[in-house]
Every structure is written in structure tokens, then in C-alpha cells.
Amino acid sequence: MKKQKKNLRTYLLMILLFGSLIYITLDLGGKFTHTTAPPTTEITQSSAFSLFSDILAHNVTHPFAVLLLQIIVILLAVRLFSGLFKRIGQPRVIGEIVAGIVLGPSLLGYFFPDLFTALFPVDSLTNLELFSQIGLMFFMFVIGMEVDFNLLKEKINETLVISHAGIIVPFFLGTLSSFWVYEQYAAAQTEYLPFALFLGISMSITAFPVLARIIQERNLTHTPIGMIAIAAAANDDVTAWCLLAIVIAVAQAGSFVSALFTIALVLAFIAFMFGIVRPFLRKIGLIYANSEVINKSFVGFIFLILVLSSVTTEIIGIHALFGAFIAGVVMPVNTGFRKVMMEKVEDISLVFFLPLFFAFTGLRTEIGLIDTPELWGVCALLICVAILGKLGGCTLAARLVGESWKNSFIVGTLMNTRGLMELVALNIGYEMGILPPKIFVILVLMALSTTFMTTPLLRLVEYLFKEQPLGKQTKSKLLLSFGRSESGRDLLALAGLLFGKSLQHINIIAAHYTIGSDLSPDKAQHYAQESFQPLEQEAKRWCIDIDKRYKVTDRLTWEISHLANREKANITFVCAGPQFLENNIIHPQRLTLSLSLLQRLGHLIHNRSLRLAGNLTKDKLYQLIEKINCPVGVFIRRSDNAFRHVFFLVNGEKDLLFIEDLCRSSIVPNIPIHICPLETMPKNIDLDQRLAALNERFPGIFLQSEIIDRQEYIYDPDHLVIMSEATCRELSHDTFLFSSLPSLMIIYKK
């Protein structure tokens, strides 16, 4: 307290002393007033406010303030529309593109022209364009780092055929369709050759980032068809961007012969990057392979390579984005290095810069330009050509390399996704004056249509080729849902204790989810491997196989409940923290113990929420319990000790039915299981006869216990208590008793 008073006195003295000195200095400087312009008349209160208003108006219209306001509006619109489209099962990129169109002349400019003009004045668009181009440069750098050459090598035979069929067929159809489009809609602005080539390349591009995220969302990442699709898309990406560089060179030069000089420079640039820069970076990458952090000097060096590569290709004449892409491709293949670099670049690129690009594209997209039936016919023609060339070409190619029709259609549908990468190419063509405004709008609509149709088409393919069940399901399903990786191991160990050897005859599904939406495939794969490692080690100990499910999502409870209900899980285990038992521990009154455990036995969900914070909260757990159609076991670990005994607490007829169902499931536990009736159990239940019948039918499975001293099982950390939701509610009335329980599992049944 004394120190605080002393500091306050020092502060006041300092302010008084130097404030006085400043006043004296300014007063002495008043003698210079006569050397300036004659004093103006006294400003009235009215004129002072007018002056303030003028200053405020000037500040609002200042280019920097306008840019900041544009960014605020764009980010808000993008978050709104991306969230809405995510709700209907579409990639966020669709919502982000639509947000840009809504802010453009098609909607905002059409219905609110004054607001549109004030928010997006023509002279401000240059700043917005430069920001969006910088963001795209960073984004293409990340895309280049996501290219996995090892995957391309492993699947080279199949993916080369599929990816190049997905380029050459739509490219041919695009150039063919230019015959019917060029003369009427583009002849006045550009030569036929660059127009036809750009129309062809716009049909050939696949959006690798969108495709990879769709594969993650549909849990296809580690399936053979998912790996083929990702490898084919990566191959397509590399080939298409190299082809785009050639097309730009031809368009800039005006003929193939003149373009040979530019192409030669491009080839020399690629050879330099792969022959000199890549080996050099590989050696540096080895130095940082085991480093916990990458210092700022090295990060600055990497960004310097990115900028130098981009400016080189810009000077050559094939756009800076191609240089950024090549810079990403030649980065060291060390997973840790790429992960760190992608984390530094990707978030700011995806969250901040790319929305500006979408908005800028929307400002160029005036749907009102398509104002005649003929133009809508051209739009329909180009959309059909794009779908026929990409989806049809890749489907037939996949079928020719030996895939089933179902897998072939899946590959074709995924490769037909264009999204962001298409918009990048279209904007390049628009900036170069090759694509007229009307054709640009049509091709933007084509990119939107082919991306939007991907998810519904995948669902249609799965429905049409749905495998019919051959007979009644014989294996029970257990779903494990965990947040932390250690929780997955705990849940499987608990299932092993309860089910014993019969665990090998149960179909176990472990699901883990990363909370988020914009996660790169490389990071997602790293998180998935890290999360399932303890679970896989426990599975090896039991000599069982686990059906692992992983997904990036921002709808955690929906994903878990949807998986459990879709797979017809017999029982679901989830983990909860000790806070789950605090206050009103039993929530849904309508949750009752009534269904047969035999119908619901054993589905184990793994739900891991991201590193950000992802454990299921108390409210989320209750929502999950209400949505899932099978019994849910909520496991609360209160000790790290290994369990030596399991106690089933019985407080009524429904608890006994639960135990009898458990016995009929032929479960052979690894540890003794005791039946412990509570003192509040109704006296009219013939407990002894029921337990004797169980012991006679299943000898050795359960050890009958009389009403025992609670101290024996409540305070021992080596014990596990299992009880129903109703029994848990009954026990919770005794606060001291309830707080003394060891690790426990609460069973919820509808």
C-alpha cells in the first residue's frame, strides 16, 4: 500500500511539473504569432461543429478507411454465408463465393446502388485487388506444399490416366465449344487462339483444396478410392497449372512460335527451382527436422524465396501465382517443417485474404449481364460441357483402370469440383482481357454449379450403389467417442474389461473429430495419426481391429449422433470430466431405462475435439444423449489406477433387466463383477432368485453380493462403479456418498 501511494505522488508531481513547463514554453512562443498569417475571426460553435463534420467526412472517405470498412463488410458476409452453406452440407468455399456475388453489382449494386457505390467506389478497387492478389500468392504457396509426391509415385499408374483424362477431355470439349461462342461474344475483344485455350483450361481445372476437404468430411481419406482421388487431384493440379502457364505464355505472345521464348524461360525457371533450390532447401530442412521451433530468420528466408519465385514468373509473363505454387512444391518434404510453415501462412490466407479475393471476384460478376435467352443457353451449354468433360472423362478413365462403377463415379464427381482454383484461373483470364465480362460471369456460374453439385451427387452415387444387407446383422457394434487421445485408450480398455474375449466378436468403431472447418489435409492427417496412436496400441494388446473414423467438423454433437444412428450402434461410450457430475447431474427426465441391451450392444465412439478446446461440455453431452438412439455410457475417470473389481449398482427392476440383457450378450468379463443392491431398492423384487438363475445359466460371470458396506467399494480407487441414470439420480441425493465414488460409468437408455 505504501509503495502504491509513493508511486501515485511521484506520478502527480511529474504531471504537474512538466505540464507547467509545457505551458510556460508555449506561452513564451506566443511572440512568434505576428510572423504568421493574420489571425482569423473567432470560430463560432456552429462553424466548429461544421469543421469537425468535414474532417469526419474526409476521414471516412480516405482510401485507407474505405479499405478497412470494405474488409469488415466482406469478412462479416463471408462468415455468414459460409456458415449457412456449411449447414446444408456444402463446402464453405461455396458460401464465400456467393458472399462475394451478393456484395457485387448482381445484388447489392442492383437493389442498393447508392450503398454499393459508397462502399465500393471504383477508385478503391485497385487496393482491394492488390490485397486479394497477395492473399492468393500465399494460398498458392500452401497448395504447393500440400502436393505429396510420394502419394503421386505410389498411385502413378492409375492417377496419371485419371488426372490427364480429366484434363485432355474437357480441354478438347472446351475448345470445341468455343466455335459456337467466340464469334458472337468474344471476337470484338480478343483473338480466337487465346480465347479457345482459356476456355479449354477453364474446363480442365480441379479444386484440390475443396476436393481434399470433401474427402475428409466423408471419411474417405484412408480408403483406397479416397487416396486415388486425392492423388489424381494433386496430379491434375500440377499438370493444369503448368498447362495454364503455357496458355498464358501463348496468350501474351499471340502465337505458339512467339510463345516458345516464354515457355523456354518457364522450363528454365522450373529446372532451376527443382535442380538447385529444392536440394538446397532439403539440406536446410534436415537441420530443422528435429527443431522445436523455426527461427524468424529462416521464416523470413522462406518468404523471400516465395516472393522471388512469384516476381520471376510475373516478369516472365505467366503470373505470380504460378511462381508461388512452384515455391510451395519445392519446399522441404519434412512433415514438421511443412506443418509449421503452413500454420504460419494458411490461417491468415484463408481467413483474411481469400475472402477479399471472393469479394473482388463478386464485384466483377454481374449476373445481370446474362440478359438474353441466348446467353442463358450459352451458360447451360458450358456447364454441360464442363460436367461431361470432367465428370465423364474421369469416370470412364477410372473404370478403364479397373475401378468399380461406384468408385469410378465417386472419382469423377470429386474431380468435377472446381471452386476456388477455377476462380483464380478465370480472374487471370479476365485481367488479361481474354475473357469478356459476359463469358466471365458464365464461367463463374459454371464453377459454382460444378462445386455445389459435388455433395448431392456423392450422396446419389452412394444411394444408387448402396450394398444390400445379405442377412441379419450378427456382430454387435460398439462406438467409442473420445476427445483426448488417452481417453480413447481408456474407453477401449474399459470395453475389454467388461466384454473380455467376446470383444473380438464386436465391431468396434472409434471416432475422433477435430473442431474447425479450414484445416489442411496435411494437418488433419497429422492430428488423426496422433489421436489414434494410444487407441491402436491398446487394440494390439487385445488383438482386435478398430474401425477408425476421423473428420474435421464444427458440428460435433451432430456428427457423433449421426454416426451412431447411421451405423445402428448397439451402445456408445463417451468420456466426460468430473464436472459432468456437478449440480443437477441427471438432466433429461425423459431418458429412461427401457430398451434391450442385446439390440444395442457395443458401439464405441471416439470423439476428440481439437487442440483448441474440444472436449464435450456438460450441455453438449446431454444433447448427444438425447439424439443418439442407443444406450450411451458416460465414463468418468477419477483415478489412474487399474480396475480390479466392477460393481453394478441395482436399484430396481430396470437395472436387473439391464444386467440380464448384458448376460444374454454372452459377455465374459476379465475381472469380477459384483451385483450391489441399494438400500432403497423395492422389497418386492426377488433379487436372490434372479441372480441365482443368472449364475446357473452363466457360471462365473457374476459374483453375487449382498448389500455391502459402502466403504468397501466407494473409497477404493481400484474399483469401477456402473449404474443407470435413475440409480445415479438416487445416489446424488447423498452428497458425501456421491462425491466419494471412484471411477464410474453412467448408462443412459431411452
Side-chain angles (χ1 to χ4, degrees), residues 35 76 82 115 186 230 267 314 321 348 365 378 491 642 682 697 746:
T35 61
L76 289 175
S82 62
L115 177 61
I230 289 178
L267 294 176
E314 182 72 19
L321 298 182
I348 187 66
T365 306
V378 172
L491 288 178
R697 187 174 178 185
I746 306 172

Side-chain angles (χ1 to χ4, degrees), residues 482-490 492 510 512 525-541 546 548 550 606 608 611:
F482 59 96
R484 298 182 301 109
S485 56
E486 295 80 9
S487 299
R489 178 195 59 208
D490 292 343
L492 183 56
H512 176 75
Q525 185 177 9
H526 173 75
Y527 289 159
Q529 291 175 348
E530 185 181 74
S531 302
F532 284 107
Q533 278 180 355
L535 180 72
E536 290 173 338
Q537 293 172 357
E538 185 69 19
K540 288 180 180 178
R541 193 171 72 85
I546 303 293
K548 297 185 292 292
Y550 176 79
H606 153 50
R608 171 188 188 269
R611 353 226 342 108

Side-chain angles (χ1 to χ4, degrees), residues 474-539:
T474 56
K475 292 189 77 172
S476 299
K477 287 186 178 181
L478 173 64
L479 178 62
L480 307 178
S481 171
F482 59 96
R484 298 182 301 109
S485 56
E486 295 80 9
S487 299
R489 178 195 59 208
D490 292 343
L491 288 178
L492 183 56
L494 175 61
L497 294 177
L498 295 178
F499 302 150
K501 295 180 180 178
S502 61
L503 192 67
Q504 298 178 350
H505 305 293
I506 296 175
N507 183 10
I508 300 178
I509 302 173
H512 176 75
Y513 298 96
T514 294
I515 302 300
S517 55
D518 299 319
L519 191 66
S520 70
D522 183 70
K523 268 194 283 188
Q525 185 177 9
H526 173 75
Y527 289 159
Q529 291 175 348
E530 185 181 74
S531 302
F532 284 107
Q533 278 180 355
L535 180 72
E536 290 173 338
Q537 293 172 357
E538 185 69 19

Side-chain angles (χ1 to χ4, degrees), residues 274-289 298 330-334:
F274 278 88
I276 297 177
V277 176
R278 194 182 189 202
F280 174 70
L281 290 176
R282 186 186 296 121
K283 291 181 179 180
I284 297 180
L286 293 175
I287 298 174
Y288 287 92
F298 184 64
V330 301
M331 285 296 113
V333 295
N334 176 270

Side-chain angles (χ1 to χ4, degrees), residues 77-78 81 95-105 355 358-363 365:
V78 163
F81 282 93
E96 293 169 349
I97 298 170
V98 170
I101 293 176
V102 168
L103 292 176
F358 293 130
F360 188 71
T361 303
L363 295 175
T365 306

Side-chain angles (χ1 to χ4, degrees), residues 171 175 190-198 201 241-264 266 316-319 428 432 434:
F171 195 97
T175 54
T190 185
E191 297 293 330
Y192 172 73
L193 179 63
F195 176 78
L197 291 176
F198 241 95
I201 198 65
W241 277 95
C242 292
L243 188 60
L244 179 63
I246 296 174
V247 170
I248 293 173
V250 172
Q252 294 276 41
S255 67
F256 280 111
V257 177
S258 301
L260 290 177
F261 296 103
T262 302
I263 295 173
V266 172
I316 290 175
I318 57 169
H319 210 281
I428 292 174
M432 295 176 63
I434 297 171

Side-chain angles (χ1 to χ4, degrees), residues 75-359:
L75 293 180
L76 289 175
V78 163
R79 289 299 98 188
L80 172 64
F81 282 93
S82 62
L84 290 176
F85 276 83
K86 184 69 176 177
R87 290 282 182 183
I88 61 174
Q90 289 293 331
R92 285 182 175 271
V93 66
I94 292 288
E96 293 169 349
I97 298 170
V98 170
I101 293 176
V102 168
L103 292 176
S106 300
L107 286 175
L108 183 63
Y110 183 81
F111 292 103
F112 306 98
D114 294 337
L115 177 61
F116 175 75
T117 304
L119 188 58
F120 297 103
V122 176
D123 56 355
S124 72
L125 298 184
T126 302
N127 296 331
L128 195 60
E129 181 182 10
L130 291 175
F131 264 75
S132 68
Q133 292 299 313
I134 292 173
L136 279 179
M137 186 177 72
F138 285 129
F139 180 75
M140 293 305 300
F141 178 66
V142 172
I143 295 300
M145 284 195 290
E146 287 183 350
V147 175
D148 188 347
F149 282 97
N150 292 327
L151 186 60
L152 296 181
K153 292 176 183 177
E154 292 174 4
K155 302 286 182 180
I156 189 66
N157 293 330
E158 297 172 79
T159 58
L160 194 64
V161 175
I162 296 172
S163 62
H164 286 185
I167 290 177
I168 194 66
V169 175
F171 195 97
F172 163 71
L173 293 178
T175 54
L176 184 64
S177 62
S178 66
F179 280 111
W180 289 276
V181 177
Y182 173 74
E183 189 171 3
Q184 186 172 356
Y185 300 105
Q189 179 170 328
T190 185
E191 297 293 330
Y192 172 73
L193 179 63
F195 176 78
L197 291 176
F198 241 95
L199 201 58
I201 198 65
S202 67
M203 301 292 172
S204 307
I205 289 177
T206 291
F208 174 74
V210 178
L211 178 144
R213 282 162 177 77
I214 291 175
I215 287 177
Q216 286 175 7
E217 291 174 0
R218 303 191 72 83
N219 201 40
L220 297 173
T221 305
H222 299 291
T223 63
I225 194 62
M227 295 176 66
I228 288 175
I230 289 178
N235 202 330
D236 187 292
D237 231 19
V238 176
T239 306
W241 277 95
C242 292
L243 188 60
L244 179 63
I246 296 174
V247 170
I248 293 173
V250 172
Q252 294 276 41
S255 67
F256 280 111
V257 177
S258 301
L260 290 177
F261 296 103
T262 302
I263 295 173
L265 287 176
V266 172
L267 294 176
F269 166 74
I270 294 175
F272 174 78
M273 294 295 288
F274 278 88
I276 297 177
V277 176
R278 194 182 189 202
F280 174 70
L281 290 176
R282 186 186 296 121
K283 291 181 179 180
I284 297 180
L286 293 175
I287 298 174
Y288 287 92
N290 299 318
S291 299
E292 295 183 3
V293 295
I294 297 178
N295 62 47
K296 291 180 175 59
S297 298
F298 184 64
V299 172
F301 176 68
I302 295 299
F303 281 131
L304 180 62
I305 292 177
L306 164 62
V307 175
L308 286 173
S309 178
S310 301
V311 75
T312 301
T313 54
E314 182 72 19
I315 293 172
I316 290 175
I318 57 169
H319 210 281
L321 298 182
F322 181 76
F325 176 75
I326 294 297
V329 170
V330 301
M331 285 296 113
V333 295
N334 176 270
T335 304
F337 169 81
R338 290 202 171 197
K339 176 177 175 290
V340 171
M341 287 304 304
M342 288 168 67
E343 287 177 347
K344 289 180 179 294
V345 176
E346 187 176 33
D347 288 343
I348 187 66
S349 173
L350 290 174
V351 176
F352 185 79
F353 283 113
L354 279 185
L356 304 183
F357 170 74
F358 293 130

